[in-house]
């Protein structure tokens, strides 16, 4: 089934004088400081199920979609009376409560999105988080600041598979190889890089091993259009 394009190819092609066609941004840990909220929600739920959630468990699940985390929790706690989906729903309920105070933005996140919008560069949110939580989670920037968004429950295979990034590019009608993606996790970097995007890793809570073609930054602060253009200059 074909997907609607939210951007005309005329806007994104070389008629603009740019090789950069779009910027694709992960949410949790990249744009918002939410990984500690996920960790708290996970620890509380695991405790209720009779288990203990460690920092190592959290790190093993950073960037993963809800159901794989649910599956991990079932295996850890032996809560076989629950399905991974049921555990995921319980986890989401706890996380939603923690979002009521708002998620803190990562340094440079809003400035980056605003800069891209002002420059006319399409920007898409590509997250493993399911659609029901995105609006609340990204409130500090606003979902309307993005040209499009791809949620974790809208893809056939979530990160680390390339499907989320391929879908984002396909919906825009752009070439993934001329898109720059920002990620903070191992599974996210794998997803973006395997989709063919120029991938910028901004490690946050977990270490990301070096990978050919992946660029590393300490933060989003100072990212400008000239630098982004340079990343796709030879593609």
């Amino acid at each position: 089934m074909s997907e609607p394009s939210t951007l005309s190819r005329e806007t994104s092609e070389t008629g603009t004088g740019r090789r950069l066609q779009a910027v694709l941004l992960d949410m949790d840990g990249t744009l918002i400081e939410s990984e500690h909220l996920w960790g708290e929600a996970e620890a509380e739920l695991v405790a209720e199920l009779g288990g203990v959630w460690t920092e190592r468990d959290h790190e093993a699940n950073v960037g993963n979609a809800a159901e794989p985390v649910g599956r991990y929790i079932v295996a850890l706690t032996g809560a076989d009376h629950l399905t991974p989906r049921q555990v995921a729903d319980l986890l989401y309920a706890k996380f939603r409560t923690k979002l009521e105070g708002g998620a803190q933005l990562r340094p440079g996140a809003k400035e980056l999105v605003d800069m891209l919008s002002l420059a006319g560069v399409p920007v898409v949110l590509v997250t493993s988080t399911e659609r029901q939580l995105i609006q609340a989670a990204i409130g500090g920037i606003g979902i309307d600041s993005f040209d499009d968004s791809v949620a974790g429950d809208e893809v056939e295979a979530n990160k680390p598979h390339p499907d989320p990034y391929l879908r984002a590019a396909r919906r825009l009608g752009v070439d993934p190889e001329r898109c720059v993606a920002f990620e903070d996790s191992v599974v996210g970097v794998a997803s973006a890089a395997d989709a063919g995007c120029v991938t910028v890793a901004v490690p946050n809570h977990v270490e990301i091993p070096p990978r050919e073609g992946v660029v590393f930054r300490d933060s989003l602060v100072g990212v400008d259009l000239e630098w982004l253009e340079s990343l796709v200059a030879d593609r």
Side-chain angles (χ1 to χ4, degrees), residues 23 25 29-30 106-109 112 115 180-185 189 198-210 213-231:
V23 174
L25 298 168
T30 300
R106 295 285 296 156
L112 173 59
M115 180 273 291
V180 177
F182 285 81
E183 276 283 357
D184 75 305
S185 68
V189 165
V198 177
T199 303
V200 180
V202 189
N204 186 356
H205 286 267
V206 296
E207 182 178 350
I208 300 175
V214 174
V215 179
F216 282 75
R217 284 187 70 99
D218 292 333
S219 79
L220 301 178
V221 175
V223 174
D224 59 29
L225 193 57
E226 182 179 2
W227 182 73
L228 291 170
E229 287 280 1
S230 74
L231 295 178

Side-chain angles (χ1 to χ4, degrees), residues 3-14 16 18-24 120-124 126 147-148 150 164-181 195-198 232 235:
E3 294 183 76
S5 173
T6 58
L7 183 74
S8 69
R9 181 168 290 274
E10 180 181 358
T11 303
S12 59
E13 281 293 354
T14 54
T16 63
R18 296 188 182 122
R19 289 196 60 78
L20 176 66
Q21 292 188 343
V23 174
L24 313 177
V121 177
V123 57
V124 181
V126 183
D147 293 275
D148 200 1
V150 176
Y165 283 98
L166 291 174
R167 178 168 296 219
R170 187 166 62 244
R171 285 164 60 102
L172 285 175
V174 298
D175 182 353
E177 293 194 355
R178 288 171 59 185
C179 297
V180 177
C197 302
V198 177
V232 297
R235 291 195 165 205

Side-chain angles (χ1 to χ4, degrees), residues 18-166:
R18 296 188 182 122
R19 289 196 60 78
L20 176 66
Q21 292 188 343
V23 174
L24 313 177
L25 298 168
D26 171 56
M27 186 175 72
D28 291 290
T30 300
L31 293 180
I32 62 173
E33 187 58 88
S34 56
E35 291 300 346
H36 68 292
L37 301 179
W38 281 114
E40 291 172 9
E42 291 157 350
E44 289 174 12
L45 178 56
V46 167
E48 290 173 6
L49 295 175
V52 176
W53 189 257
T54 67
E55 182 61 26
R56 184 174 180 178
D57 292 314
H58 175 64
E59 290 178 359
N61 285 278
V62 168
N64 277 336
E67 287 202 40
V69 177
R71 194 173 301 115
Y72 185 99
I73 290 175
V74 169
L76 177 68
T77 62
D80 296 329
H81 61 291
L82 297 172
T83 67
R85 180 67 254 174
Q86 289 172 320
V87 173
D89 288 341
L90 292 170
L91 182 60
Y92 264 46
K94 288 186 175 296
F95 183 67
R96 184 187 295 277
T97 299
K98 295 181 181 298
L99 278 176
E100 289 178 356
Q104 181 180 353
L105 297 180
R106 295 285 296 156
K110 184 166 176 38
E111 292 80 1
L112 173 59
V113 174
D114 288 347
M115 180 273 291
L116 293 168
S117 179
L118 193 62
V121 177
V123 57
V124 181
L125 193 66
V126 183
T127 176
S128 293
T129 298
E130 296 179 7
R131 176 63 61 185
Q132 59 174 300
L133 285 183
I134 291 179
Q135 183 75 41
I138 202 64
I141 296 177
I143 192 64
D144 292 341
S145 299
F146 299 87
D147 293 275
D148 200 1
S149 57
V150 176
D153 53 338
E154 297 170 348
V155 294
E156 291 185 10
N158 214 324
K159 302 174 186 180
H161 298 280
D163 189 28
Y165 283 98
L166 291 174

